[in-house]
Amino acid sequence: MSLPLSPIKCDDKRDEQQHKSAWFQFIKSVATFKGDLTSLTAPPFLLAPQSIVEYSTYWAEHPSLLVSPAREECAETRALRVLQWFLSTLKHQHASRDENGKRKRLKPLNPFLGEIFLGRWLDDAGTTHLVSEQVSHHPPATAFKIWNDTHGVRLEGHVAPKAYFSSTINIERRGYSILHIDRYDEDHWITMPKAHVEGIVTFQIAPELSGASYIRSSSGYTSRINYSSKGWLKGKSNSFTATVYREDEENNPLYMLEGRWSDSYTIKNGKGKLLDTVDLSSLRKTPLQVAPINSQHPLESRRAWKHVIDAIHANDVLAVGHEKSKIENAQRMLRKQEKETGQTWKTRYFTQVEEDPIAEKLSMKIKAAANGHENMIWKFDNSKYDKIMEYQQNGIKSPTHTRFDSGVGFSEEIEQ
């Protein structure tokens, strides 16, 4: 017998002190925790109404920038365009406030194994497709593919975040992405920077980027991006400098970029002449289109997490914990059943491979940035995708559920 739950609403002013108290208790537990922090349960008021599996959408919020390198005849200019597209993906992914200036909830939901997210963008660049899937739970890893057939551009990658505490919460994102341009048969190998949380003592919580990330093309050009944050006496938050250079000529840059990935930056040539100033805040996102909840596959993120997301939007703390626990407990039971029967979860769109020759070749001279990607490599499986598309065209559908919590109903066959 289940007891009816009375909504517990959070009033911003009334509960601010409670939130601060819960935050500092969370930080105390984080500071003493040994292991990957992604396994810890964050206070409900920190939870964002989206799963990490949706984060792949940040790569293509501006499809025209994603496909812009395909329009460039010059390989040097293409390298610059790829860098500019990459910089445009950072703001909404890491900024502490949304487009309307409202403070964002910063802790996304941890995806369950097999969770998927499907969507597309329609604009002047044509149709840009997205398939994202949680391919591993221990360690957590998300694989994705984004493609635009009109311009012959596709982006494929996988990321395995690992969080740890050292003075603050730090996040390493192992893995990489490869942007391929059909017209030039050209590949660009891309890594992600480290992230950490600032303001944990003052409760002015904000993500920040640090270290360096790289983009290396098969045409012989490399971009290095260095990230920095506001210091005690000088500097600004969200700062970066970047250079584009030919292979083995890092000290002789072709382009130099400098500014803030959340605001604007300048582009200069190798001699220091100003070429352009880019205002990132003026960019408008192309709306992402997803299927209605009732039409989504039971494994799709927004359908599976619907009751948790609804509770987050309603600021109903008790319901958030209750609904979230249902999903997590069902997943634990499912993993236990798999272990007892000697079965393993079958991924829907991606397949794990032992090697990636393109990534190996392009990352050879930047081993420090490879982030151990060789330990877990996932590639989009076209045969799986084609089979699913065939099923859908023939009207074969997965079992429908009036309600779906991850793991509940998984005993039913979900093939397509």
Side-chain angles (χ1 to χ4, degrees), residues 44-117:
F45 73 88
L46 283 178
L47 292 177
Q50 67 176 165
S51 165
I52 291 177
V53 81
E54 279 198 46
Y55 272 46
S56 303
T57 61
Y58 290 116
W59 290 107
E61 289 182 324
H62 311 104
S64 60
L65 294 180
L66 172 66
V67 304
S68 63
R71 303 189 183 104
E72 301 291 346
E73 297 285 346
C74 173
E76 178 182 311
T77 307
R78 287 198 299 275
L80 176 61
R81 294 289 178 259
V82 171
L83 173 58
Q84 289 187 264
W85 155 74
F86 174 79
L87 292 173
S88 75
T89 71
L90 300 177
K91 179 178 179 179
H92 294 294
Q93 181 176 177
H94 301 100
S96 59
R97 296 184 182 275
D98 62 20
E99 290 180 301
N100 301 316
K102 184 179 179 181
R103 182 168 289 277
K104 292 163 56 178
R105 295 172 181 258
L106 297 179
K107 175 61 176 71
L109 298 166
N110 288 334
F112 56 82
L113 181 60
E115 182 178 337
I116 57 177
F117 187 81

Side-chain angles (χ1 to χ4, degrees), residues 177-372:
S177 305
I178 293 179
L179 178 70
H180 181 83
I181 304 172
D182 287 344
R183 182 181 179 186
Y184 304 103
D185 192 22
E186 184 177 77
D187 295 297
H188 297 257
W189 175 77
I190 304 163
T191 67
M192 287 294 290
K194 294 180 180 180
H196 64 272
V197 177
E198 296 199 338
I200 64 172
V201 175
T202 61
F203 198 56
Q204 299 298 312
I205 310 165
E208 187 58 273
L209 303 180
S210 60
S213 67
Y214 296 85
I215 304 173
R216 191 159 187 261
S217 79
S218 57
S219 296
Y221 295 88
T222 298
S223 296
R224 173 179 173 134
I225 309 101
N226 294 301
Y227 306 86
S228 60
S229 57
K230 184 178 181 180
W232 286 103
L233 300 176
K234 62 179 181 178
K236 294 182 178 180
S237 59
N238 311 154
S239 296
F240 78 91
T241 59
T243 55
V244 181
Y245 54 92
R246 294 187 185 88
E247 187 172 336
D248 298 326
E249 295 184 24
E250 186 171 2
N251 294 327
N252 186 26
L254 302 168
Y255 298 102
M256 300 179 291
L257 289 69
E258 183 175 8
R260 302 176 67 205
W261 48 261
S262 60
D263 187 14
S264 64
Y265 63 87
T266 58
I267 304 175
K268 298 179 181 179
N269 64 16
K271 297 180 179 180
K273 180 183 178 180
L274 180 65
L275 302 178
D276 196 7
T277 298
V278 179
D279 181 8
L280 293 169
S281 62
S282 67
L283 294 176
R284 292 294 174 261
K285 298 188 295 182
T286 297
L288 173 69
Q289 298 187 10
V290 297
I293 294 291
N294 293 338
S295 301
Q296 291 183 13
H297 188 281
L299 293 175
E300 286 196 60
S301 184
R302 293 185 183 179
R303 180 176 176 178
W305 290 101
K306 180 181 185 304
H307 298 282
V308 176
I309 293 171
D310 288 347
I312 290 174
H313 284 309
N315 288 325
D316 190 338
V317 177
L318 186 57
V320 170
H322 178 74
E323 298 292 343
K324 187 167 174 285
S325 293
K326 281 186 178 181
I327 295 178
E328 294 167 344
N329 291 336
Q331 279 290 291
R332 294 187 187 99
M333 184 173 294
L334 184 57
R335 299 286 85 78
K336 181 180 179 181
Q337 292 173 351
E338 290 174 346
K339 185 176 181 180
E340 290 173 350
T341 58
Q343 297 178 328
T344 57
W345 180 262
K346 294 181 180 179
T347 51
R348 183 172 172 82
Y349 292 104
F350 295 83
T351 297
Q352 189 171 9
V353 298
E354 294 184 357
E355 59 182 6
D356 185 343
I358 294 174
E360 285 296 319
K361 181 178 180 180
L362 294 179
S363 65
M364 281 182 62
K365 296 192 176 183
I366 314 177
K367 279 296 183 181
N371 289 333

Side-chain angles (χ1 to χ4, degrees), residues 34 37 52 122 133 148 233 243 247 315 341 357 364 392 400 404 411 416:
K34 303 297 182 183
L37 297 181
I52 291 177
L122 298 175
E133 180 176 4
N148 182 301
L233 300 176
T243 55
E247 187 172 336
N315 288 325
T341 58
M364 281 182 62
Q392 292 180 355
T400 57
F404 183 83
S411 58
Q416 53 286 342

